[in-house]
Structure formats: C-alpha cells, structure tokens
Amino acid sequence: MANSNYFKHTLVAVLSLFLSICNISVPAYAADSNLKGIRGSFFDFVDDPWKHVGHEEESARFYPDGLLVLDNGIIKAYGSYSDIASKYPGIEITNIPNRLIVPGFIDGHVHFPQTRVLGMYGLQLLPWLQEWIFPEETKYKDPVYAREGVKQYFDNMLAGGTTTVQDYGTSSRTAVEAFFDEATRRNMRVICGIAGIDRNAPADFITPPDQFYADSKALIEKYHRHGRNLFAITPRFAYGDSPELLAKCQKLHQEFPDCWINTHVSENPTETRNAALEHGCSDYLGCYEKYGLVGPKFTAGHGVWLSNSELDRLAKAGASISFCPNSNTFLGSGLFRLGAATDPAHRVRLTFGTDMGGGNSFSMLNVLNQAYKVGMCNNTMLDGSVDPRWHNDAEAERNKLNAYRAFYSLTLGGAQGLYLDNLIGNFDPGKEADFVVLDWNGGPSAMKWHQSLICDKPTTMKQVEQLLFGVMAVGGDDRAVDETWVMGHQLYKKGASESLATKIGSK
C-alpha cells in the first residue's frame, strides 16, 4: 500500500509538472486536494468607503449566489457560483441559504481579564480601574481562574462573530500564557501582550520594568508568529507607566521590530492631562513618541481627546487608533471625533473595539450601534446648528456611520488598522478563511417585520446595505450571528448545546 501511494503521488507530481510546462490548466478535483466550498450570499469590501463619499457601494462586493473555495483554511477562489463552480467539480459544498456571509469581525481593543466585570455601575475611568478592574485582573494570577476566564472570553467572542482580537492582556505572565494557549487551541488570529504598569496602581498589581521586559521577551520567543499568535509590546497607558518602563518598551521594540505595540491614549480628560504632565510632554501622544514607539503596527486605544496635531502625527507615522464608543459613553469619557480621524488630509488608520469590560458588550454589532450614535452627535455639533463657528459640512458628513463605513470598519478596515490585511479582512484568494454567517432577521421581536420592509432575501447591493443597517441599528447584538467560522471550521452555531470550539479542541 505504501509503494502504491508513493507511485500515485509521483505520477500526479510528474503530470502536474508536465501540464505546467505546457501551460495547460485543468479543473481541481476534491479527491486530489483538501478543497471544500461554501455556497451562499457573500458581502465584503475591496476599498475604504470614506474614499467614495456618496458612492460607497463602489468599495464593496456582493454575490447573491456566491461560492467560497477553501484549501486547508485558506481561500482558494471566490466569486459568483456560476463562475467558480465549474472550475472545481466534485468538491464538497456546504450550502448556507437565507443568510449573509461576511468576513470575520475584528475587535481592535479589548481586555480578556475584564470578562466578568463588564458593565459595572457608575464610575469614570480612574476610579473604575481602582474599584473593579485591578482587583479582578489580580485574580488572573491564579492559573485555574485564568484558564476559566479565557475560555469564557473566547466563547463570547465567537458568539458575537469576532474572529480576530487585539487584546491588552494583563500584568500576569501566567494569564497571558493561558490566553495564547486557548487561542492556539481554537486556531484564532490574536494579538496580545503583557500589560506593563508600574505606578498609579495597587502594589500587588504592578510589574517592575525589568520583570516586564524579561516576561515580554520570553513570551515573544514562545508565541510570536507561532501559529496565528502575534505579540504586542504593551505599555498599558502612559499615566500608569514610568519612564523606566517605557524605556523597556523602546528596547523591546528595537530588539523585536516585527512585534505590534498596543496602548491607550487620551481616553479621559483627567488621565490625558496627568499623563502629559508626568512625562514632561506637551500632549499625551508625545509620551510614546518620546520613546520611538509611534509608527506602523502601533495602536492607541480611544483617542477621544486627541488634538488635530496628534491626529496628523498619527497619520504621518502610519499608526492607528481604536475607536471604542461603548466604553467612551459608558464611562463618560467623551465622543471620539470620527469625522476628524477620517479626514483625507490626515486619514488615520482605525480599528473599532468593544473595550470590554469598560465597554458593556462583547458584540461588535453593538459597537456599531453605539458608534452610529456617537457619530450623529458629532454631526450635530458640526452642522452649524449649535454654533456657526464650528460649522464644517465635510467633517460632519464623515461622522455619519452608514452600513458601508460600519462593516468595513469591522472587517477590511480593521485588518488595515492592524496591518493584517494581507491575511484577513475580505475574501480575496490567499487569505485566511474567517467569516460570520449573519441572520438579518436575528434580534428583538420587532426585527423580522422591520427587515421585511426591505426584502425577504437580498438580491441587490442596496438591499444588503439596508439590511445590514437594520442588523446594527435595530438588532445590534449577537442574536444576528448564526454561525462563526475560523480557518474554514465552524466554531460557533447559534443554539448549539455545546461549544463547537470545545469539541474541535478535544479532537
């Protein structure tokens, strides 16, 4: 049998070489590959809709009857079923009718050790950290608690359609190891690090700079680019980081320039003032520029109180902001100026983030629901009706989060913000097959009748746009997520009695 297989594979290899030399193409057959197909209605993006004001549909693709061909979790082909199917006769096809398939959602700003304390009442950022966050994150020093916490976290992420996260980690190395190990088991694309903090926090929570450096270096060597894991050098926030700790971040960045950098900036007015004062800088962003940290693959969470100068410097550096409307409103931090960040004169790369647990939901659809409202408040401030001196029609319009801008920000836009658009973000061949199956009628009891005003099943781009806006504005939570697939495997199905990720991980 072994010799038979050897000769079979040798013959196939020689034949393939001959056909290649002769420039002869043949259809792919399932029997000779790991190919499989997903058939359904697909929607994704090819460009930034903010570049197509008034014609945002030019940034997107829609196939009412589409086919996605996968090869070991990598996209092999994508397009209309009539164009693609004949090239891959015999492959096994999974049909997903009466649903809309979109790329997996990307959460650019989240905290796994805050899973249990999301939505805690009544405090702004700094007292909220002291009252709820530092005590809860300290529990993650216990490996048993950490493993249970990260399991709960990833189960909730998948239920919300999130397939990629950039997470801040925590100061405990053990907890961050548990995070990477669980992500590996589920084969999810993640970015995480040890959150460096050595002041303005409880004594048993802080990490001395030398320990932060040593632990981060060890985890970079253990996890970075192992499977789908990526490491972020993570100064938690400048207000909680000494010059010595930021210098260690600079040293790590110089030694491991391939790593990401993830931090917070200008979230709360008090924090924004204090951080600049403590580091002798004119503004918050300067605290990181001082140590050479701001550039490609740098993400600053929030940016609510960034000046025009800081936005311009972020854009020129190729750095990113993560917009977290749920936590910005829940903690009373303020309204992020989406229209300013998307100004073509200094377009800043963006991700959207739940910021769970300051954000009170795991759902990126819920983030869109709140982001729309933040944008509309900013729109009113700029349309001339409040104070004529603030009147700016172009910026006012850029704050309006239509369905194109919204779902781009969760998919291709989020991937571009994280410098991962070569791997994820849309359905281009060669990318990793992470996707979400949306039930456009999923949501509150009013949802189905509302959506029926548009159509029973979308056949045009306009209908998709209107249904998706209903998903975010009327639904706005994980009830719209029917399935979540990671690298071509279904890891979540709404209503399943047992976590599919758990079953796959036990095989």
Side-chain angles (χ1 to χ4, degrees):
M1 183 63 70
N3 287 338
S4 175
N5 286 335
Y6 171 80
F7 287 120
K8 176 183 175 182
H9 290 302
T10 301
L11 180 61
V12 169
V14 171
L15 180 60
S16 298
L17 178 61
F18 171 76
L19 293 172
S20 175
I21 292 171
C22 296
N23 197 27
I24 299 172
S25 61
V26 295
Y29 290 87
D32 297 321
S33 69
N34 295 298
L35 300 182
K36 65 180 180 180
I38 308 293
R39 184 179 184 179
S41 296
F42 290 86
F43 178 80
D44 70 339
F45 290 89
V46 295
D47 200 7
D48 177 358
W50 272 281
K51 294 179 180 178
H52 302 268
V53 176
H55 303 280
E56 282 89 349
E57 69 279 359
E58 296 175 2
S59 67
R61 295 183 289 202
F62 172 52
Y63 296 104
D65 183 16
L67 182 63
L68 192 68
V69 179
L70 312 180
D71 186 355
N72 281 325
I74 301 298
I75 297 168
K76 181 80 171 178
Y78 171 58
S80 67
Y81 182 83
S82 60
D83 290 340
I84 302 297
S86 61
K87 300 175 184 177
Y88 297 91
I91 68 169
E92 178 185 349
I93 293 179
T94 299
N95 287 287
I96 305 179
N98 302 313
R99 296 289 185 264
L100 187 63
I101 305 171
V102 300
F105 299 152
I106 298 166
D107 189 338
H109 180 125
V110 63
H111 301 257
F112 76 79
Q114 297 176 19
T115 294
R116 204 172 189 180
V117 291
L118 79 167
M120 291 301 188
Y121 168 76
L123 297 169
Q124 291 197 352
L125 174 66
L126 297 179
W128 173 78
L129 288 169
Q130 298 289 341
E131 177 74 17
W132 292 110
I133 300 309
F134 294 146
E136 177 64 17
E137 290 198 22
T138 300
K139 297 177 185 176
Y140 278 70
K141 291 181 179 179
D142 176 359
V144 175
Y145 194 88
R147 286 194 295 272
E148 175 62 21
V150 296
K151 179 185 180 300
Q152 294 282 344
Y153 168 93
F154 281 115
D155 283 350
N156 279 284
M157 284 295 177
L158 290 169
T162 297
T163 56
T164 293
V165 297
Q166 179 173 239
D167 195 289
Y168 282 86
T170 186
S171 55
S172 165
R173 172 176 169 173
T174 300
V176 177
E177 288 178 323
F179 172 92
F180 277 124
D181 289 343
E182 184 67 16
T184 299
R185 193 177 68 81
R186 301 175 191 235
N187 202 20
M188 293 177 69
R189 173 67 65 185
V190 299
I191 306 171
C192 192
I194 292 176
I197 183 169
D198 65 340
R199 62 183 183 184
N200 295 320
D204 62 345
F205 187 78
I206 66 172
T207 306
D210 286 340
Q211 181 184 342
F212 165 77
Y213 170 81
D215 287 348
S216 295
K217 184 173 181 177
L219 294 195
I220 290 170
E221 293 168 347
K222 182 176 181 180
Y223 291 108
H224 185 57
R225 295 203 182 275
H226 289 219
R228 302 183 80 195
N229 296 317
L230 301 168
F231 193 89
I233 300 161
T234 309
R236 185 159 186 147
F237 64 146
Y239 180 64
D241 297 333
S242 68
E244 292 76 18
L245 193 144
L246 289 174
K248 293 297 185 183
C249 291
Q250 182 179 34
K251 184 177 181 182
L252 286 167
H253 181 42
Q254 291 168 345
E255 294 175 349
F256 302 99
D258 181 53
C259 286
W260 276 248
I261 300 172
N262 191 26
T263 190
H264 293 78
V265 72
S266 301
E267 178 178 1
N268 172 279
T270 301
E271 169 228 8
T272 299
R273 287 192 299 270
N274 289 347
L277 285 171
E278 290 193 9
H279 288 277
C281 297
S282 60
D283 56 35
Y284 203 140
L285 185 64
C287 301
Y288 304 118
E289 291 172 324
K290 189 174 181 179
Y291 296 92
L293 300 176
V294 181
K297 297 198 289 188
F298 170 94
T299 299
H302 301 294
V304 174
W305 300 100
L306 288 171
S307 64
N308 288 339
S309 169
E310 289 169 291
L311 288 172
D312 187 56
R313 283 145 50 198
L314 283 163
K316 289 178 179 176
S320 303
I321 301 170
S322 191
F323 174 28
C324 304
N326 282 358
S327 64
N328 295 160
T329 52
F330 189 81
L331 298 176
S333 298
L335 305 179
F336 175 68
R337 296 188 298 147
L338 183 61
T342 52
D343 187 337
H346 54 224
R347 176 64 156 96
V348 181
R349 291 173 181 254
L350 293 175
T351 66
F352 282 25
T354 60
D355 193 24
M356 188 284 309
N360 56 327
S361 173
F362 278 91
S363 171
M364 293 301 294
L365 297 175
N366 190 266
V367 169
L368 294 184
N369 182 292
Q370 193 71 3
Y372 173 80
K373 298 168 188 175
V374 168
M376 291 302 288
C377 288
N378 284 332
N379 178 270
T380 299
M381 297 298 289
L382 294 166
D383 69 5
S385 61
V386 178
D387 188 328
R389 292 173 298 177
W390 302 340
H391 190 190
N392 185 326
D393 282 335
E395 184 175 336
E397 198 282 332
R398 288 193 300 271
N399 277 289
K400 296 174 72 173
L401 198 67
N402 59 36
Y404 291 109
R405 294 171 177 180
F407 282 86
Y408 163 80
S409 299
L410 301 195
T411 57
L412 183 60
Q416 291 169 343
L418 294 178
Y419 286 83
L420 292 175
D421 51 302
N422 63 317
L423 297 173
I424 57 174
N426 64 12
F427 294 128
D428 283 352
K431 293 191 178 183
E432 298 163 346
D434 297 343
F435 55 90
V436 184
V437 178
L438 292 177
D439 175 3
W440 55 77
N441 292 321
S445 58
M447 188 72 172
K448 187 173 182 179
W449 200 48
H450 166 82
Q451 297 289 61
S452 70
L453 181 66
I454 301 161
C455 64
D456 292 326
K457 183 178 180 180
T459 57
T460 68
M461 185 83 80
K462 185 65 175 178
Q463 289 172 335
V464 171
E465 174 198 3
Q466 292 172 334
L467 288 177
L468 285 175
F469 189 78
V471 167
M472 69 184 246
V474 180
D477 61 29
D478 56 11
R479 285 174 289 182
V481 176
D482 191 35
E483 302 175 18
T484 305
W485 292 59
V486 171
M487 287 292 284
H489 292 282
Q490 186 194 72
L491 294 195
Y492 169 80
K493 172 65 178 176
K494 184 167 64 176
S497 59
E498 182 182 356
S499 167
L500 297 173
T502 298
K503 290 193 289 186
I504 286 175
S506 65
K507 289 181 179 179

